[in-house]
Amino acid sequence: MDVKIEESWKSLLSDEFEKRYFIELTDFVRNEYKTHKIYPPAKLIFNAFDQCPFNQLKVVILGQDPYHGPGQAHGLCFSVNDGIEFPPSLRNIFKELKNDTGKEIPLSGNLTNWARQGVLLLNATLTVRANLAGSHQNKGWEQFTDAVIHKVNEQNP
């Protein structure tokens, strides 16, 4: 299967893309996009990988599933697009960073810069229905993201 994902990840994960669960998962996700409002936009499902190539990986941060409100999710866990109010989880992250480092809370919740510095901002599930947290759990995403973590541990301890 030809998955649109950054080349270093594509090479590392190519065997996963041929597995039955992944083929069933992609069928499910395609149908969901046809019949419901799904986040993030389809072209951003693998944004975490696209922004953080495997050879630049330094840290993995795991979230549960994408934010499920309009304009929030863009394929990086805990990150929201510029101009979007911070969800409680992101607000808490920024509060902890301020407490730990003294740095002021940023004006934007967009963490793309973190990803470009080697932080893989990965959710356990990479898609979600609008306004329905957890709606794409147990559909195959967790198996995929578990495989990602396994490969990272194997190849980049």
Side-chain angles (χ1 to χ4, degrees):
M1 173 176 293
D2 184 30
V3 175
K4 305 294 184 229
I5 191 171
E6 191 275 330
E7 282 301 317
S8 63
W9 288 106
K10 189 174 197 169
S11 174
L12 186 71
L13 299 168
S14 61
D15 58 326
E16 289 303 308
F17 301 142
E18 302 306 320
K19 292 183 179 177
R20 182 172 195 73
Y21 86 87
F22 194 84
I23 293 166
E24 291 172 359
L25 171 62
T26 57
D27 289 344
F28 166 78
V29 170
R30 276 190 199 102
N31 188 57
E32 285 286 286
Y33 275 99
K34 289 178 187 173
T35 58
H36 298 89
K37 181 68 177 165
I38 304 300
Y39 297 121
K43 66 181 182 206
L44 296 176
I45 292 173
F46 296 109
N47 195 29
F49 302 96
D50 296 338
Q51 297 300 322
C52 180
F54 182 74
N55 62 349
Q56 295 175 18
L57 178 64
K58 297 174 186 168
V59 175
V60 177
I61 296 178
L62 290 173
Q64 185 175 340
D65 58 357
Y67 293 128
H68 52 87
Q72 294 177 316
H74 63 113
L76 305 175
C77 75
F78 300 110
S79 182
V80 293
N81 286 302
D82 292 335
I84 300 294
E85 184 178 341
F86 299 172
S89 56
L90 182 58
R91 204 173 317 119
N92 289 337
I93 289 169
F94 285 152
K95 282 181 190 174
E96 289 300 319
L97 279 172
K98 183 176 181 179
N99 289 341
D100 289 350
T101 68
K103 284 189 164 192
E104 289 302 313
I105 294 173
L107 298 176
S108 172
N110 189 322
L111 304 179
T112 300
N113 191 44
W114 290 17
R116 291 181 179 157
Q117 293 179 63
V119 180
L120 181 64
L121 296 164
L122 183 65
N123 279 310
T125 62
L126 302 188
T127 56
V128 67
R129 279 189 192 175
N131 305 311
L132 199 55
S135 55
H136 286 187
Q137 289 178 355
N138 302 314
K139 303 295 185 188
W141 280 128
E142 296 91 343
Q143 188 171 346
F144 174 72
T145 53
D146 285 351
V148 170
I149 299 301
H150 180 74
K151 297 272 187 181
V152 167
N153 285 334
E154 228 177 40
Q155 307 272 332
N156 187 1

mmCIF file of all heavy atoms in Angstrom, residues 1 9-19:
data_model
loop_
_atom_site.group_PDB
_atom_site.id
_atom_site.type_symbol
_atom_site.label_atom_id
_atom_site.label_comp_id
_atom_site.label_asym_id
_atom_site.label_seq_id
_atom_site.Cartn_x
_atom_site.Cartn_y
_atom_site.Cartn_z
ATOM 1 N N MET A 1 0.851 -1.179 0.000
ATOM 2 C CA MET A 1 0.000 0.000 0.000
ATOM 3 C C MET A 1 0.894 1.237 0.000
ATOM 4 O O MET A 1 1.873 1.296 0.744
ATOM 5 C CB MET A 1 -0.877 -0.029 1.249
ATOM 6 C CG MET A 1 -1.683 1.217 1.456
ATOM 7 S SD MET A 1 -2.794 1.122 2.853
ATOM 8 C CE MET A 1 -3.928 -0.110 2.269
ATOM 9 N N TRP A 9 10.218 7.320 7.566
ATOM 10 C CA TRP A 9 9.188 6.541 8.259
ATOM 11 C C TRP A 9 8.576 5.510 7.320
ATOM 12 O O TRP A 9 8.276 4.393 7.726
ATOM 13 C CB TRP A 9 8.104 7.460 8.820
ATOM 14 C CG TRP A 9 8.560 8.256 9.993
ATOM 15 C CD1 TRP A 9 8.850 9.590 10.026
ATOM 16 C CD2 TRP A 9 8.784 7.775 11.320
ATOM 17 N NE1 TRP A 9 9.234 9.958 11.288
ATOM 18 C CE2 TRP A 9 9.200 8.869 12.106
ATOM 19 C CE3 TRP A 9 8.671 6.522 11.938
ATOM 20 C CZ2 TRP A 9 9.503 8.763 13.461
ATOM 21 C CZ3 TRP A 9 8.970 6.404 13.286
ATOM 22 C CH2 TRP A 9 9.385 7.514 14.037
ATOM 23 N N LYS A 10 8.383 5.898 6.076
ATOM 24 C CA LYS A 10 7.811 4.977 5.091
ATOM 25 C C LYS A 10 8.678 3.725 4.969
ATOM 26 O O LYS A 10 8.172 2.596 4.951
ATOM 27 C CB LYS A 10 7.680 5.676 3.735
ATOM 28 C CG LYS A 10 6.916 4.891 2.704
ATOM 29 C CD LYS A 10 6.712 5.741 1.459
ATOM 30 C CE LYS A 10 5.625 5.163 0.605
ATOM 31 N NZ LYS A 10 5.214 6.062 -0.459
ATOM 32 N N SER A 11 9.958 3.924 4.915
ATOM 33 C CA SER A 11 10.887 2.810 4.822
ATOM 34 C C SER A 11 10.840 1.956 6.095
ATOM 35 O O SER A 11 10.779 0.729 6.033
ATOM 36 C CB SER A 11 12.301 3.352 4.593
ATOM 37 O OG SER A 11 13.239 2.322 4.630
ATOM 38 N N LEU A 12 10.864 2.609 7.235
ATOM 39 C CA LEU A 12 10.876 1.907 8.516
ATOM 40 C C LEU A 12 9.587 1.118 8.761
ATOM 41 O O LEU A 12 9.611 0.029 9.327
ATOM 42 C CB LEU A 12 11.084 2.914 9.654
ATOM 43 C CG LEU A 12 11.270 2.339 11.047
ATOM 44 C CD1 LEU A 12 12.624 1.651 11.163
ATOM 45 C CD2 LEU A 12 11.146 3.444 12.084
ATOM 46 N N LEU A 13 8.456 1.660 8.301
ATOM 47 C CA LEU A 13 7.149 1.080 8.617
ATOM 48 C C LEU A 13 6.503 0.340 7.446
ATOM 49 O O LEU A 13 5.353 -0.093 7.553
ATOM 50 C CB LEU A 13 6.207 2.192 9.087
ATOM 51 C CG LEU A 13 6.648 2.932 10.344
ATOM 52 C CD1 LEU A 13 5.812 4.179 10.559
ATOM 53 C CD2 LEU A 13 6.592 2.015 11.557
ATOM 54 N N SER A 14 7.233 0.159 6.358
ATOM 55 C CA SER A 14 6.641 -0.414 5.141
ATOM 56 C C SER A 14 5.958 -1.757 5.385
ATOM 57 O O SER A 14 4.905 -2.029 4.799
ATOM 58 C CB SER A 14 7.694 -0.537 4.041
ATOM 59 O OG SER A 14 8.741 -1.395 4.452
ATOM 60 N N ASP A 15 6.506 -2.587 6.261
ATOM 61 C CA ASP A 15 5.873 -3.888 6.528
ATOM 62 C C ASP A 15 4.512 -3.722 7.203
ATOM 63 O O ASP A 15 3.598 -4.502 6.965
ATOM 64 C CB ASP A 15 6.793 -4.794 7.344
ATOM 65 C CG ASP A 15 7.210 -4.189 8.673
ATOM 66 O OD1 ASP A 15 7.376 -2.957 8.756
ATOM 67 O OD2 ASP A 15 7.394 -4.953 9.646
ATOM 68 N N GLU A 16 4.347 -2.687 8.020
ATOM 69 C CA GLU A 16 3.061 -2.453 8.688
ATOM 70 C C GLU A 16 1.971 -2.117 7.679
ATOM 71 O O GLU A 16 0.824 -2.510 7.842
ATOM 72 C CB GLU A 16 3.153 -1.307 9.702
ATOM 73 C CG GLU A 16 3.938 -1.618 10.945
ATOM 74 C CD GLU A 16 3.433 -2.826 11.715
ATOM 75 O OE1 GLU A 16 2.229 -2.906 12.027
ATOM 76 O OE2 GLU A 16 4.268 -3.713 11.998
ATOM 77 N N PHE A 17 2.336 -1.385 6.642
ATOM 78 C CA PHE A 17 1.360 -0.920 5.663
ATOM 79 C C PHE A 17 0.763 -2.063 4.840
ATOM 80 O O PHE A 17 -0.270 -1.880 4.202
ATOM 81 C CB PHE A 17 1.980 0.126 4.734
ATOM 82 C CG PHE A 17 2.506 1.337 5.459
ATOM 83 C CD1 PHE A 17 3.679 1.946 5.045
ATOM 84 C CD2 PHE A 17 1.842 1.873 6.555
ATOM 85 C CE1 PHE A 17 4.177 3.068 5.695
ATOM 86 C CE2 PHE A 17 2.328 2.990 7.223
ATOM 87 C CZ PHE A 17 3.506 3.582 6.792
ATOM 88 N N GLU A 18 1.391 -3.219 4.871
ATOM 89 C CA GLU A 18 0.901 -4.376 4.117
ATOM 90 C C GLU A 18 0.089 -5.343 4.983
ATOM 91 O O GLU A 18 -0.497 -6.292 4.465
ATOM 92 C CB GLU A 18 2.075 -5.121 3.476
ATOM 93 C CG GLU A 18 2.922 -4.255 2.550
ATOM 94 C CD GLU A 18 2.126 -3.559 1.468
ATOM 95 O OE1 GLU A 18 1.200 -4.187 0.895
ATOM 96 O OE2 GLU A 18 2.420 -2.377 1.176
ATOM 97 N N LYS A 19 0.069 -5.109 6.279
ATOM 98 C CA LYS A 19 -0.630 -6.027 7.183
ATOM 99 C C LYS A 19 -2.146 -5.853 7.082
ATOM 100 O O LYS A 19 -2.642 -4.765 6.822
ATOM 101 C CB LYS A 19 -0.144 -5.828 8.620
ATOM 102 C CG LYS A 19 1.298 -6.271 8.796
ATOM 103 C CD LYS A 19 1.751 -6.131 10.230
ATOM 104 C CE LYS A 19 3.196 -6.617 10.362
ATOM 105 N NZ LYS A 19 3.698 -6.422 11.722
#
